[in-house]
Amino acid sequence: MKLIVQKFGGTSVADAERIHRAARRAIQAKQNGYQVVMAVSAMGKTTDKLISLAQEITDDPPKRELDMLLTTGEQVSISLMAMAIHSAGHEAISLTAGQVGLITDNVHTKARIKEINADRIKNELSQGRIVIVAGFQGINETGEIFTLGRGASDTTAVALAAVLNAECCEIYTDVDGIYTTDPRIEPKARKVDRISYDEMLELASLGAGVMHSRAIEFGKKYNVDIHVRSSFTDTTGTFITHEVEQMEEIVVSGVTVKKDLAQFVLQGLPNRPGVAAGIFAHVAGHNVAVDDIIQTFDDKGKASISFTVEHSDLAECKLVIEEICQEHKLEEIICHDPVAKVSAVGVGMRSHTGVAQKMFNALAEAKVNINAITTSEIKISCIIDPDQSEVALQTIHAAFELDKEPAA
Ligand code: ADP
Ligand code: ASP
Ligand code: MG
């Protein structure tokens, strides 16, 4: 029997009426002949509110307890969803990650899924029930509770779609698809019909909050067709799929901005084998995610290394920096805080020239200073002043004419 996974984000289950609406979608899919698994986020801004509550108690809540607290949000929404489906005369059951057997590693607040036991879900489906799984949470082998990082109900959904071999994973949200940039920042942003996993992975990692980046990694690895669409309308949204040839013709398919970053610069390091390895061993030891690593060297045997971290990792990163300072007897560490990163992404960059020049020109004309530049095969990123991030994003969006339909 064909199977579909439907994920509903916070705004799509923000109140009773929206929960009923989401329930009706799942029932409709069942009536269309699908087995239906739902992955559901906490209602509205519940997760933010729970974090604020923790901060009212202490500035530095233990991460284990934060995970205990935050996972309650999803337990509320899944049980209400099951009640909504029951009230419409259909069978449904809500399950936490522990009840499913969604196993993660041991990193509180940003655990990664290691495996999912599909037996319980399959058993419930075979009894004609719609199965509603709590997004964003997992357990480890000993039953401890973990969360998978902000926005990670998407990842729960796509991982479920992968293990259950779903025909499609539908991501229901408050926009009707993936846009060329965040429509809240650039009203001229245009919805795209289709985008490759690689592009979406870059966009998500570079700040497009519409999808959690781990979800795209699962989608790519396990060939899950992902359909991002509005929970308020029936219009077709955006399909995230493997790359097809025509995608190469579009040079830039999206622009993102990521704020709340800090950049560390370590100067006066010895320029010899093993120094970078040692530094990033400290970083990994604290589970800090760093990005935009740049190393340069001078002719006096010294090197400097810079990298960016998200504000959520800043406190942990300061511990890392202390360890590095002690080891290398560094006196001065520069920390630029806050900084922002604006990026252009597109698989067409592989085969087109002049992309960087066009982006840098646009920023120069808008008088945006570039502090650092990093690139990959399909993206160019610039570290800039956060106060200029919106103008930078709009300028790049206009320079690549992203508001216009690409030529056929
Ligand atoms: P949900 O609660 O459904 O998971 P999110 O708030 O996580 O919803 O994601 C949807 C939001 O992502 C949109 O309201 C939009 O403002 C933002 N967004 C950022 N970048 C993009 C983009 N490129 N395309 C569409 N939406 C984007
Ligand atoms: N409720 C979680 C969050 O707000 C997970 C999610 O919505 O995807 O981050
Ligand atoms: Mg989200």
Side-chain angles (χ1 to χ4, degrees):
M1 197 174 175
K2 50 192 187 170
L3 187 151
I4 196 163
V5 174
Q6 298 185 327
K7 179 256 170 177
F8 292 88
T11 35
S12 306
V13 292
D15 55 34
E17 195 230 306
R18 289 182 185 185
I19 290 176
H20 278 297
R21 189 199 301 248
R24 284 197 295 274
R25 285 225 189 246
I27 292 167
Q28 183 67 59
K30 186 154 185 280
Q31 287 169 337
N32 289 343
Y34 285 90
Q35 290 188 320
V36 184
V37 175
M38 303 172 84
V40 181
S41 292
M43 293 170 70
K45 301 252 173 264
T46 299
T47 310
D48 291 336
K49 286 186 194 142
L50 291 171
I51 292 173
S52 306
L53 210 49
Q55 278 162 351
E56 277 180 38
I57 302 284
T58 164
D59 289 344
D60 188 20
K63 289 191 169 144
R64 177 192 184 272
E65 302 308 330
L66 207 49
D67 279 351
M68 288 293 286
L69 178 70
L70 298 193
T71 47
T72 61
E74 272 69 13
Q75 198 166 330
V76 171
S77 56
I78 56 168
S79 46
L80 292 174
M81 185 66 74
M83 292 176 201
I85 295 173
H86 278 278
S87 73
H90 294 264
E91 287 277 315
I93 183 164
S94 64
L95 297 173
T96 63
Q99 290 169 316
V100 168
L102 189 153
I103 310 295
T104 67
D105 63 14
N106 295 307
V107 185
H108 279 294
T109 74
K110 49 181 171 187
R112 291 165 78 97
I113 299 174
K114 280 172 42 180
E115 60 175 275
I116 300 179
N117 183 347
D119 295 348
R120 175 80 192 264
I121 296 178
K122 284 185 180 160
N123 187 285
E124 300 293 350
L125 289 171
S126 70
Q127 293 176 57
R129 298 193 175 116
I130 293 174
V131 178
I132 307 151
V133 179
F136 178 54
Q137 57 177 254
I139 58 159
N140 72 0
E141 276 92 357
T142 62
E144 278 296 299
I145 293 177
F146 290 81
T147 60
L148 311 175
R150 294 305 307 271
S153 294
D154 298 331
T155 301
T156 307
V158 180
L160 286 170
V163 294
L164 296 166
N165 223 344
E167 186 181 288
C168 183
C169 182
E170 293 184 323
I171 305 287
Y172 286 96
T173 183
D174 59 0
V175 267
D176 56 3
I178 307 294
Y179 279 65
T180 49
T181 194
D182 188 341
R184 277 191 288 212
I185 305 179
E186 172 52 279
K188 291 191 194 135
R190 182 177 46 80
K191 189 181 100 183
V192 298
D193 297 333
R194 193 168 275 274
I195 193 159
S196 70
Y197 293 117
D198 287 337
E199 286 169 313
M200 195 61 227
L201 187 54
E202 288 282 13
L203 290 171
S205 318
L206 293 166
V210 61
M211 281 294 291
H212 193 243
S213 59
R214 289 278 296 146
I216 312 299
E217 283 175 25
F218 272 109
K220 182 176 178 189
K221 189 164 171 194
Y222 298 104
N223 298 313
V224 179
D225 276 338
I226 303 171
H227 183 189
V228 180
R229 55 188 305 193
S230 167
S231 64
F232 306 118
T233 68
D234 284 328
T235 26
T236 306
T238 302
F239 288 92
I240 307 174
T241 62
H242 284 290
E243 197 174 319
V244 292
E245 224 172 272
Q246 300 90 297
M247 288 177 178
E248 280 260 357
E249 283 158 27
I250 301 166
V251 183
V252 169
S253 42
V255 185
T256 60
V257 66
K258 199 166 185 176
K259 295 188 195 169
D260 295 333
L261 296 174
Q263 185 188 40
F264 287 96
V265 186
L266 311 175
Q267 287 175 319
L269 292 162
N271 185 15
R272 57 175 158 71
V275 173
I279 285 175
F280 290 100
H282 287 290
V283 171
H286 284 262
N287 280 307
V288 173
V290 300
D291 205 357
D292 308 305
I293 302 167
I294 303 171
Q295 172 161 344
T296 54
F297 65 102
D298 62 19
D299 51 8
K300 298 185 188 78
K302 294 287 180 196
S304 86
I305 292 181
S306 66
F307 54 81
T308 55
V309 296
E310 294 186 14
H311 273 171
S312 54
D313 273 338
L314 201 52
E316 202 71 34
C317 193
K318 287 192 171 148
L319 301 177
V320 174
I321 295 289
E322 273 170 32
E323 289 176 10
I324 298 170
C325 281
Q326 273 179 10
E327 187 177 329
H328 292 286
K329 314 237 167 338
L330 299 183
E331 273 156 28
E332 202 198 357
I333 304 285
I334 302 167
C335 177
H336 301 291
D337 180 27
V339 295
K341 175 162 65 173
V342 65
S343 311
V345 173
V347 286
M349 281 186 204
R350 291 191 202 117
S351 50
H352 289 76
T353 55
V355 187
Q357 187 243 354
K358 196 171 194 171
M359 176 161 163
F360 302 154
N361 252 347
L363 291 174
E365 274 168 28
K367 305 230 172 329
V368 176
N369 188 47
I370 303 170
N371 292 316
I373 299 169
T374 54
T375 62
S376 80
E377 206 187 13
I378 64 164
K379 68 118 192 196
I380 303 170
S381 296
C382 297
I383 304 292
I384 59 167
D385 181 339
D387 289 341
Q388 292 187 301
S389 53
E390 274 157 32
V391 69
L393 180 127
Q394 287 163 345
T395 302
I396 299 167
H397 196 265
F400 290 100
E401 300 185 343
L402 295 186
D403 53 329
K404 303 200 177 88
E405 281 295 329

